[in-house]
């Protein structure tokens, strides 16, 4: 079986007997009047079919001794294609999804009625229906999957509706070699984009100019889209975790924080680096940076299967507090949240903050971030160092190790930029 077939078989194994799963790709969300936001596929659907076309539906049926999977996509419409571009043919959808049974979405209701009809057909009696109940997933312009579930139970009172999202999330948390390869490619592309920023960086630029450079570089090199809105924050602006405006002029002798990443075939990189605009760390900037770097490396060294993200967070808080006290920036009785107020990690994959159960211990194949930071507004210093890390049973592998973060390596890189 190929990658997608394996994923669907794993989902079948988790489903109850005499059940089916209905997973919608979603539709574009209305922005205002007749304008819609660009379509973003429901990643639970994409994970199982790798189809990005809106209004598509995946139907998995686990009947008596038989498993069937059907894909429904919009049929060809000459007029619509003149307005909004090409749609997948049934054969193209089949080739991408590795599914033989591909039909028009116009046939979905008929298929659903056929399967649900308790008439001794080949599927037997369906007792449970799994639906992705994420409120943001829409069917048509307005209907939510929750509304669809309510309509289904009103038509078939004896069925049980279950949320398929936890099942798909459990699968998505453990990355295959195929997925890890996609993540490595996204990280490598992001590394190249960061190098472009270092070459371009100079005092007097606006923060948004660097954000634009990073976005356009990705488009020009591999057509990489952004994994999320790029954060470029200079000096005190970097003490805001998700600094939104990027309208300040970059000042000399300050630090600048990059939080950014590209996508590769749907998989996201998420990297943070903090650099001295002058090319050299000085004074308290250097001390704070060294404290965050020490924490970053310590958490990567500590991380492994069996620990939870909260275990990593508690260790990060301990190290950062000790460092702050040593630097006389925090009193022993003060809470570290004064200068460190976010979590050290999240799962990474098709989403930047990937679907996950944060209470579950880490296991081999998880990919997470490690991103300690310190944010000291009164000094105009904000530092975050974020790497993407693959969890193994007895250690963690830093997938972004090639992106410079050691003080000596960064300063050497800036010196080479001048030459």
């Amino acid at each position: 079986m190929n990658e997608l077939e394996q994923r669907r078989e794993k989902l079948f194994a988790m489903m109850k007997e005499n059940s089916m799963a209905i997973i919608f790709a979603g539709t574009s969300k209305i922005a205002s009047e007749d304008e819609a936001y660009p379509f973003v596929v429901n990643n639970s659907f994409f994970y199982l079919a790798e189809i990005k076309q809106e209004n598509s539906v995946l139907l998995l049926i686990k009947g008596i001794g038989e498993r069937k999977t059907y894909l429904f996509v919009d049929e060809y419409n000459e007029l619509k294609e003149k307005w909004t571009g090409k749609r997948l043919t049934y054969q193209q959808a089949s080739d991408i999804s590795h599914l033989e049974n591909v039909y028009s979405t116009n046939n979905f209701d008929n298929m659903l009625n056929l399967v649900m009809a308790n008439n001794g057909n080949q599927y037997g009696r369906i007792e449970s229906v799994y639906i992705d109940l994420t409120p943001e997933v829409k069917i048509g312009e307005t209907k939510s999957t929750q509304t669809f579930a309510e309509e289904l139970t009103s038509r078939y009172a004896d069925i049980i509706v279950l949320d398929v999202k936890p099942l798909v999330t459990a699968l998505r948390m453990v990355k295959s070699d195929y997925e890890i390869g996609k993540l490595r490619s996204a990280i490598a592309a992001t590394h190249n984009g960061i190098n472009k920023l270092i070459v371009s960086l100079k005092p007097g630029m606006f923060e948004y100019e660097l954000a634009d450079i990073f976005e356009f570089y990705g488009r020009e090199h591999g057509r990489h889209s952004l994994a999320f809105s790029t954060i470029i924050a200079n000096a005190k602006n970097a003490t805001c975790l998700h600094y939104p405006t990027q309208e300040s002029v970059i000042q000399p002798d300050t630090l600048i924080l990059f939080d950014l990443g590209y996508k590769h075939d749907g998989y996201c990189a998420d990297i943070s680096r903090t650099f001295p605009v002058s090319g050299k760390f000085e004074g308290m900037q250097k001390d704070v940076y060294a404290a965050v770097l020490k924490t970053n490396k310590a958490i990567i060294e500590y991380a492994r299967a069996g620990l939870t993200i909260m275990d990593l967070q508690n260790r990060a808080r301990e190290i950062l507090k000790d460092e702050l006290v040593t630097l006389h920036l925090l009193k022993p009785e003060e809470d570290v949240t004064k200068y460190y107020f976010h979590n050290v990690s999240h799962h990474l994959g098709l989403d930047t903050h990937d679907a996950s159960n944060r209470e579950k211990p880490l296991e081999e194949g998880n990919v997470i971030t490690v991103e300690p930071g310190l944010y000291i507004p009164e000094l105009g210093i904000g530092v975050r160092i974020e790497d993407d890390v693959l969890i193994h049973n007895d250690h963690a592998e830093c997938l972004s190790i090639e992106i410079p973060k050691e003080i000596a390596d960064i300063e050497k890189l800036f010196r080479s930029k001048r030459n």
Side-chain angles (χ1 to χ4, degrees), residues 19 25 113 155 161-162 179 238 307 344 387 409:
S19 69
N113 291 334
R155 288 163 57 189
V161 171
L162 302 168
E179 294 179 283
L307 298 175
V344 77
D387 284 298
D409 291 339

Side-chain angles (χ1 to χ4, degrees), residues 341-356:
F341 42 79
H342 60 82
N343 209 310
V344 77
S345 183
H346 58 78
H347 285 257
L348 182 69
L350 287 171
D351 290 297
T352 306
H353 288 249
D354 208 30
S356 66

